[in-house]
Amino acid sequence: MTSATAADYGWIRSSSSLFAYALEVGYTLTLARGVSPSEVFRIVGAEPRGECAGLDEFIREQQEFSDEYEEWPEAFLAGAFTTRGEGGGWTLALEFGGDLGTRPRLMEALSAGTRAVSHSSNGGKPMDFFHWYEDGELRTTFEWPADRAGSTPDELNGMMREVGLNPTGDEAPGIDRKAAVLALTERLTGVRVTEELLAEAEYQVAEVPEEPAEEWAGITVDITDAHGERTYVDVDRTQL
């Protein structure tokens, strides 16, 4: 296990860093051990679109792809490559405005018999999420470190403290929570994400369709008014 801390990822806040673009527009970064980029794309039903030499080229292709849509795109581009980490090769998948690492069914499939970790931001006034899956199971997830969920929400508490996150309250002054999340991810994967790694990698690129909305059969209206009177009605789709 590495000894990474938030201090090792201070570079992400440099205005000249490629990660600054990710923080501005929103991103998802996913790491899965022992799964190839092509297998990631097969599982998610993505259409391959060749390769990009480095992150600059991938960003340009992503921007040109988004410009093809007059309104909100019905798909997004993901770029992925293999790098070394704890226990062998890991696929690093990155997308801007996408949601691969937040899709439960995909993460369950990627982590079956292995491990997958992701973190994300929606840009702007961000919501930032972290997910750790092991053997197809969501073990720990959080937006705020003190508000965790999963089958083992407290298992990473010691590691979180070591990287600069506080699982019981606010972080110490000066701690960059996003940098600390990258350090936590490194401790779980053994993959040191550097600006050089992202900038120089050969990305396999694929077009990922939006996740289909789940079918629903109806809705339930359950309201209790100020006088304690309760209204409870099941309404199926044919009645709407």
Side-chain angles (χ1 to χ4, degrees):
M1 185 180 73
T2 75
S3 58
T5 67
D8 294 306
Y9 286 91
W11 63 268
I12 67 171
R13 298 298 179 181
S14 168
S15 60
S16 62
S17 83
L18 293 169
F19 207 79
Y21 175 79
L23 293 172
E24 177 184 355
V25 304
Y27 78 94
T28 304
L29 189 153
T30 306
L31 285 157
R33 182 173 56 203
V35 183
S36 68
S38 58
E39 181 67 4
V40 172
F41 293 149
R42 185 195 67 78
I43 292 172
V44 79
E47 179 181 347
R49 288 175 59 112
E51 297 184 352
C52 285
L55 187 55
D56 277 335
E57 184 177 328
F58 174 53
I59 289 174
R60 284 195 298 272
E61 182 160 341
Q62 181 267 333
Q63 291 172 334
E64 291 171 1
F65 176 81
S66 297
D67 289 343
E68 295 173 6
Y69 291 85
E70 293 183 1
E71 298 181 353
W72 189 258
E74 298 175 354
F76 59 87
L77 295 189
F81 60 89
T82 299
T83 188
R84 299 294 298 178
E86 182 181 326
W90 291 70
T91 283
L92 187 155
L94 178 64
E95 71 269 4
F96 304 105
D99 62 357
L100 284 186
T102 66
R103 296 185 179 186
R105 283 176 290 187
L106 172 64
M107 293 296 284
E108 289 164 6
L110 292 181
S111 64
T114 185
R115 174 176 292 180
V117 183
S118 70
H119 52 84
S120 61
S121 171
N122 68 342
K125 295 181 179 179
M127 293 184 291
D128 298 278
F129 294 97
F130 170 87
H131 306 282
W132 164 42
Y133 282 77
E134 195 89 14
D135 294 325
E137 180 180 59
L138 176 59
R139 299 287 294 275
T140 304
T141 182
F142 60 82
E143 179 181 6
W144 301 100
D147 186 17
R148 301 175 305 284
S151 63
T152 59
D154 298 331
E155 186 169 346
L156 301 181
N157 286 8
M159 194 181 297
M160 290 172 69
R161 291 188 180 94
E162 290 174 0
V163 301
L165 297 170
N166 185 354
T168 58
D170 294 333
E171 282 75 47
I175 290 294
D176 184 331
R177 183 180 293 125
K178 178 60 68 176
V181 164
L182 267 78
L184 180 62
T185 301
E186 179 180 336
R187 291 203 178 203
L188 286 167
T189 65
V191 176
R192 170 64 60 94
V193 176
T194 65
E195 187 164 17
E196 291 74 21
L197 177 69
L198 296 178
E200 299 172 6
E202 292 285 336
Y203 290 81
Q204 295 185 38
V205 180
E207 180 178 336
V208 182
E210 287 290 336
E211 195 168 25
E214 293 186 4
E215 290 292 329
W216 57 279
I219 61 173
T220 298
V221 179
D222 189 354
I223 301 172
T224 301
D225 66 20
H227 303 289
E229 293 292 329
R230 186 185 184 202
T231 301
Y232 184 92
V233 181
D234 285 319
V235 183
D236 66 34
R237 295 182 64 173
T238 63
Q239 295 173 287
L240 295 175

